[in-house]
Amino acid sequence: CTVGTRKCVIERIESWAREARHYSHMCICWITGRPGTGKSTILRTMCKRLDENTLLAESYFCSIQLPSKDSKYIIPTIALRLSSYFPLFRKHLIAKLQEEPSCAYAPLQEQFQELLSACWTEAGLENQSLSPFVVVIDALDECEKGDEFMSLLVDAVEKGGLGGLKFLVSSRPMPAVTE
């Protein structure tokens, strides 16, 4: 963002990112709006600030014009980055991929469950008192099956999964998810 603009929004997101996780519904900050309203600019600014404060776990920017629009890349990319921060997660991720290499290319729901949720739970990271780590996903609506990903994420968080992680997501409105 241009210096001095969007101050209130940036401050609110920074405050949310720093808060320890107490309630599952506080783990997702979802910025929605029409095209051209500055969502991507806000998320780029937040990535910079989160990285400066060692709170950024991963940033994934979807684009309808790039391979990142393919939903098959979201989970493996996030899992790979998390494995660099959390050795126990890496251990379980490697074991899962050695046991079942095809899950890296599986449908989105299976990838989400096997490569992210299960490995995070098996590593015991949900119950640890971690500093919050934020996964940023921009323009999720430009990703094939973006609404499915968001539904899976909301469902996992509502069930108490992925503790210690927060998700900052931007997209155009997704009626299928908000219903």
Side-chain angles (χ1 to χ4, degrees), residues 1-11 45 49:
C1 296
T2 305
V3 177
T5 64
R6 307 277 188 173
K7 278 180 155 181
C8 183
V9 173
I10 298 296
E11 288 171 4
T45 299
R49 291 189 179 201

Side-chain angles (χ1 to χ4, degrees), residues 67-89:
S68 64
K69 73 176 181 181
D70 193 333
S71 62
K72 71 181 178 186
Y73 297 121
I74 294 178
I75 301 301
T77 302
I78 293 170
L80 177 63
R81 186 67 181 262
L82 291 175
S83 73
S84 69
Y85 288 114
F86 302 103
L88 278 173
F89 179 82

Side-chain angles (χ1 to χ4, degrees), residues 45-56:
T45 299
M46 286 309 306
C47 283
K48 183 177 182 230
R49 291 189 179 201
L50 292 168
D51 193 40
E52 289 168 355
N53 293 294
T54 63
L55 297 172
L56 182 64

Side-chain angles (χ1 to χ4, degrees), residues 115-139:
L115 299 180
L116 190 57
S117 293
C119 291
W120 191 257
T121 300
E122 290 166 9
L125 295 167
E126 288 183 340
N127 301 318
Q128 290 188 13
S129 179
L130 301 171
S131 295
F133 274 85
V134 181
V135 175
V136 176
I137 304 170
D138 181 53

Side-chain angles (χ1 to χ4, degrees), residues 10 41 72 113 119 145 155 165 167:
I10 298 296
T41 303
K72 71 181 178 186
Q113 177 56 39
C119 291
K145 300 183 183 177
D155 187 51
L165 291 177
F167 294 84

